[in-house]
Amino acid sequence: MNEALDVSLRLVRAQTALVKRFDSGLSGLHGVSLADFTMLLRLAQAPGGRMRRVDLAEALGLTASGVTRGLAPLERIGLVTRETNARDARVAYAALTDTGRERLADMRTTAEQIAAEVFSAAVWSKEDLGGLSLLLTRLGGAGLTDRTPPAM
């Protein structure tokens, strides 16, 4: 098998396993998926805890309709609210509610625990994590503090 294809398939399998692990922990304790968590986290990082839906879609690498579908259940449970622009009714914002901020803090603690288990010091050195982070960034992966992924 082609080495690049083999590495690609290994990366896809690793990503699938990681998503399942985060989904299981976040769903079991907080009733949200990893996708929900990343959406809430991105909103929390935005000025005022709100973003235009199109900007949120771009930041997450989703379509506008994908963001709308993802936000709907978060709105129903009171973690996010929809805000309109007073000057332009066509512009819609997604905003984190106070409840959303509180629950996100608990979700983040859970996600940090899961990540610590996955990347335990017994298996992964600090250098391993730094190298992996660099390689993933090269592939276009953005971290918590990255605003936009680098061009590939």
Side-chain angles (χ1 to χ4, degrees), residues 30-33 35-36 39-40 53 65-81 103:
H30 307 287
V32 298
S33 67
D36 297 333
M39 201 172 292
L40 294 170
R53 288 168 177 250
S65 61
V67 164
T68 298
R69 281 190 306 276
L71 287 172
L74 299 175
E75 290 173 9
R76 279 194 296 276
I77 61 175
L79 303 181
V80 174
T81 188
R103 299 249 333 260

Side-chain angles (χ1 to χ4, degrees), residues 76-137:
R76 279 194 296 276
I77 61 175
L79 303 181
V80 174
T81 188
R82 180 184 174 98
E83 295 180 358
T84 56
N85 185 318
R87 294 184 183 169
D88 187 348
R90 297 171 298 175
V91 177
Y93 290 92
L96 208 52
T97 64
D98 290 339
T99 301
R101 279 185 221 297
E102 292 170 15
R103 299 249 333 260
L104 179 58
D106 294 335
M107 291 174 208
R108 188 168 178 156
T109 298
T110 300
E112 287 171 351
Q113 290 170 345
I114 294 166
E117 291 168 9
V118 169
F119 294 105
S120 73
V123 179
W124 294 84
S125 71
K126 192 171 185 127
E127 292 78 20
D128 288 339
L129 290 179
L132 181 58
S133 180
L134 180 65
L135 293 171
L136 292 173
T137 299

Side-chain angles (χ1 to χ4, degrees), residues 28-75:
L29 290 171
H30 307 287
V32 298
S33 67
L34 177 60
D36 297 333
F37 172 72
T38 57
M39 201 172 292
L40 294 170
L41 195 57
R42 187 57 75 180
L43 282 175
Q45 293 171 332
R50 74 180 202 155
M51 291 179 79
R52 291 185 323 157
R53 288 168 177 250
V54 295
D55 295 333
L56 181 59
E58 185 176 329
L60 296 172
L62 300 172
T63 63
S65 61
V67 164
T68 298
R69 281 190 306 276
L71 287 172
L74 299 175
E75 290 173 9

Side-chain angles (χ1 to χ4, degrees), residues 18-31:
L18 202 54
V19 168
K20 283 182 181 180
R21 193 153 180 184
F22 275 96
D23 277 345
S24 176
L26 290 167
S27 175
L29 290 171
H30 307 287

Side-chain angles (χ1 to χ4, degrees), residues 1-13 139:
M1 181 180 292
N2 175 301
E3 188 175 2
L5 177 58
D6 184 58
V7 169
S8 297
L9 294 174
R10 287 173 187 273
L11 184 59
V12 169
R13 284 191 297 269
L139 280 172

